[in-house]
Amino acid sequence: MEAKKSSESFTIMNELVLPNDTNTFGNLMGGRLMYWMDIAAGIAAGKHSNTPSMTASVDNLSFKNPIKLGNVVHIEAKVCRAFNTSMEIHIKVWGEDLLHQYRYESNEAFFTFVALDPNGKPRTVPALIPETEDEKRLFDGALRRRQLRLILAGKMKPDDANELKALFFKEA
């Protein structure tokens, strides 16, 4: 299986915030945004793995600025690391006020997707080749984020998370 570049999974998705997408404050509902982010992440995972994939986890979803009714939502997604059968996808979201002509950062998150074979079982995915400094930074941090996810899910003991422990315990 041939490795792929992070840029090969790059996906851009745009949506217009309509009244049915908002809460009583006129802001885009978080659940609607998560739905759109999940779709963008799924497309990026599919581009990388060339196979159907499903959401395994969502973490570090941070809401920085609300997106208002009538604004455009820009979602960018790309695989930042591939493991054996799973892929971590980095998502960045911006809002754009077309009337006042400005764009603002809204959200960021990491999604994990698992590639599936025709029987719905996990299947191996291609390795990832990060190219830019930002891609390398995300790639390097992905192993620590993965270990944290596995600990929180009860699938890894904290003592086994060597990459994560290295952040807190420096050898003399």
Side-chain angles (χ1 to χ4, degrees):
M1 188 173 298
E2 193 171 324
K4 290 186 170 184
K5 297 174 185 174
S6 186
S7 58
E8 293 179 67
S9 67
F10 185 65
T11 300
I12 298 175
M13 194 169 128
N14 296 301
E15 296 286 344
L16 177 63
V17 180
L18 298 171
N20 196 42
D21 302 322
T22 62
N23 59 26
T24 56
F25 302 106
N27 297 328
L28 174 63
M29 289 185 287
R32 183 66 54 112
L33 178 59
M34 289 176 63
Y35 169 74
W36 291 337
M37 292 167 77
D38 193 45
I39 291 170
I43 292 169
K47 283 180 167 185
H48 183 79
S49 65
N50 293 324
T51 187
S53 302
M54 65 180 230
T55 311
S57 71
V58 178
D59 58 300
N60 195 31
L61 178 58
S62 53
F63 294 88
K64 297 172 185 170
N65 294 298
I67 301 176
K68 297 287 188 184
L69 173 65
N71 287 0
V72 175
V73 179
H74 298 281
I75 302 170
E76 292 184 0
K78 68 179 169 181
V79 175
C80 57
R81 186 143 186 182
F83 296 98
N84 184 34
T85 61
S86 66
M87 299 156 279
E88 183 184 82
I89 295 100
H90 183 233
I91 307 276
K92 290 187 82 169
V93 179
W94 291 269
E96 183 175 7
D97 185 323
L98 297 174
L99 182 63
H100 296 102
Q101 299 181 345
Y102 72 93
R103 191 172 168 167
Y104 52 95
E105 191 174 354
S106 176
N107 302 73
E108 186 173 10
F110 292 96
F111 282 59
T112 302
F113 272 69
V114 174
L116 301 174
D117 69 14
N119 297 313
K121 301 292 182 198
R123 76 187 293 170
T124 305
V125 299
L128 185 89
I129 304 167
E131 297 179 293
T132 68
E133 288 305 313
D134 190 49
E135 289 171 359
K136 290 174 185 174
R137 180 184 57 79
L138 289 168
F139 182 89
D140 290 341
L143 185 55
R144 291 185 294 274
R145 289 186 297 273
R146 180 175 189 261
Q147 288 180 349
L148 182 57
R149 280 190 294 272
L150 291 171
I151 290 168
L152 292 173
K155 296 178 180 179
M156 176 182 259
K157 294 179 182 171
D159 287 342
D160 296 334
N162 295 327
E163 293 290 324
L164 196 54
K165 286 193 309 189
L167 287 176
F168 300 101
F169 304 107
K170 304 286 183 199
E171 291 189 28

